[in-house]
Amino acid sequence: MSKQVVVVGGGVIGLLTAFNLAASVGQVVVCDQGEVGRESSWAGGGIVSPLYPWRYSPAVTALAHWSQDFYPQLGEHLFATTGIDPQVHTTGLYWLDLDDEAEALAWAERERRPLSAVDISAAYDAVPVLGPGFKRAIYMAGVANVRNPRLVKSLKAALLALPNVSLREHCQVTGFRHEGERVTGVQTADGVIDADEVVLSAGAWSGDLLRTLGLELPVEPVKGQMILFKCAEGFLPSMVLAKGRYAIPRRDGHILVGSTLEHAGYDKTPTEQALESLKASAVELLPELAEATVVGHWAGLRPGSPEGIPYIGPVPGHDGLWLNCGHYRNGLVLAPASCQLFVDLLTGAEPIIDPAPYAPVGRLG
């Protein structure tokens, strides 16, 4: 297929879309308004699971399961081809004192996922640094986290090595070019880039761009703040989650604690209020963090969408325009499946899962 495809947005969804497309189309151009991967893909925690997977629809579950199974080989492939290890780190995850524990266990049995109730003493044995007072725990083995800034760097390096892919950073797309009802390119500050197909994967900015066509895409920025501690390697052997806050261990001893959920438009300013709230949650989960130094505090913008169900497929009434966006809190979780499904649809291949729940038709205003 000798088409030129323009991907608007260079987060993990846009980069992996381009990476998967490169084997099937003539040319791929990725445009990002800043540096690729520096928005929510860089800011998130990288847990390769929805925080509460049983609270999501089957549409999100289907993408999550496919992606979770695929992530280890994606990490290995990128490391082998680029020398940059995304560090897919399998630690398992403990949920503590859940209100809906029964629903979680019923979901696990129904979906055949390795999640089960464990005695709280077993959780304290496995995670000795856990704070006191927790009464109940459930645990899912096999849950990994990916070091998302390294994943983005690895994807960027992989794309730069491909002869038919070009990355255009600091290239803001302001609109779409049409011939009749067909989209034939994008308008940027540097001029028009022609395309046979255009893919909108612009994260929290996707709704603004689609509005230039008079279409209402219910994707909006939702701010999240995170903090990072440096501890000894092995300090935290497993991910832990309680009261909506989580702690994620990296292989080198860094501990990531997050996150807030704020509707603050496009403001990404870290706040003192969030810092203190996250510190308090960190110390409640892991009291020894009271003595640890916060080595990072930042904010990012998630692409909020109804029920967190992404939009994957062609835009009705605008031939040549496609969506792969609106992943809300689960862009990193769902990326492998979303991007493979997207490429299946664009190239006419057999889709890996039923694409109907993600189709833009009927979901745009």
Side-chain angles (χ1 to χ4, degrees):
M1 194 184 293
S2 61
K3 292 181 174 182
Q4 171 154 301
V5 181
V6 172
V7 179
V8 182
V12 71
I13 298 292
L15 294 176
L16 193 52
T17 294
F19 185 70
N20 288 356
L21 272 174
S24 304
V25 302
Q27 295 288 323
V28 183
V29 180
V30 179
C31 300
D32 195 275
Q33 62 184 352
E35 291 179 53
V36 297
R38 294 294 296 183
E39 295 294 346
S40 61
S41 298
W42 179 86
I47 301 176
V48 185
S49 170
L51 289 184
Y52 303 97
W54 53 90
R55 297 179 187 174
Y56 283 92
S57 70
V60 173
T61 298
L63 290 171
H65 286 183
W66 196 95
S67 293
Q68 286 165 326
D69 293 341
F70 186 76
Y71 247 114
Q73 68 191 82
L74 175 64
E76 288 168 12
H77 177 67
L78 288 172
F79 188 20
T81 53
T82 69
I84 301 169
D85 186 0
Q87 294 186 6
V88 180
H89 183 30
T90 302
T91 65
L93 173 57
Y94 286 92
W95 289 265
L96 305 165
D97 292 353
L98 278 172
D99 292 333
D100 57 350
E101 183 177 303
E103 289 86 343
L105 295 171
W107 170 88
E109 185 173 358
R110 188 169 65 247
E111 297 290 336
R112 298 179 181 175
R113 303 309 278 182
L115 182 152
S116 58
V118 296
D119 192 275
I120 193 64
S121 63
Y124 279 102
D125 288 344
V127 188
V129 291
L130 196 59
F134 293 108
K135 302 288 194 294
R136 289 173 292 110
I138 64 173
Y139 176 69
M140 185 150 65
V143 182
N145 65 78
V146 61
R147 197 156 184 173
N148 34 305
R150 294 181 65 92
L151 174 65
V152 166
K153 286 178 185 174
S154 186
L155 281 167
K156 180 178 179 180
L159 289 172
L160 288 172
L162 293 173
N164 63 331
V165 176
S166 61
L167 298 183
R168 300 197 185 185
E169 296 180 301
H170 307 288
C171 177
Q172 184 169 9
V173 171
T174 56
F176 304 95
R177 187 179 184 184
H178 274 80
E179 288 181 11
E181 290 191 348
R182 183 164 188 87
V183 171
T184 59
V186 295
Q187 183 69 50
T188 77
D190 302 323
V192 171
I193 302 174
D194 293 324
D196 298 294
E197 313 283 350
V198 174
V199 189
L200 182 56
S201 297
W205 290 265
S206 299
D208 290 351
L209 274 168
L210 215 54
R211 212 167 284 125
T212 66
L213 298 178
L215 295 172
E216 203 57 43
L217 173 72
V219 172
E220 60 174 354
V222 181
K223 183 177 178 179
Q225 299 190 49
M226 312 278 287
I227 57 176
L228 184 70
F229 296 89
K230 183 67 171 77
C231 300
E233 287 184 44
F235 166 76
L236 180 62
S238 177
M239 294 180 282
V240 291
L241 191 158
K243 299 181 182 177
R245 296 280 169 84
Y246 51 78
I248 304 170
R250 301 305 199 203
R251 284 181 184 165
D252 62 3
H254 279 97
I255 306 294
L256 203 58
V257 175
S259 69
T260 64
L261 270 175
E262 305 165 59
H263 292 268
Y266 289 99
D267 176 24
K268 291 192 297 177
T269 310
T271 64
E272 191 65 29
Q273 181 182 6
L275 177 63
E276 293 309 312
S277 173
L278 288 166
K279 278 183 182 176
S281 294
V283 171
E284 185 178 4
L285 271 172
L286 307 167
E288 290 182 37
L289 292 182
E291 307 301 319
T293 302
V294 175
V295 294
H297 173 211
W298 63 86
L301 300 175
R302 310 175 184 90
S305 59
E307 297 183 69
I309 300 173
Y311 297 81
I312 306 171
V315 176
H318 297 269
D319 288 349
L321 181 59
W322 300 74
L323 302 182
N324 190 5
C325 59
H327 293 75
Y328 196 12
R329 304 188 75 175
N330 294 311
L332 285 155
V333 183
L334 307 180
S338 295
C339 297
Q340 187 57 54
L341 175 62
F342 173 81
V343 171
D344 291 344
L345 294 173
L346 188 141
T347 61
E350 180 72 22
I352 53 166
I353 57 173
D354 179 10
Y358 321 101
V361 64
R363 299 176 66 204
L364 305 178

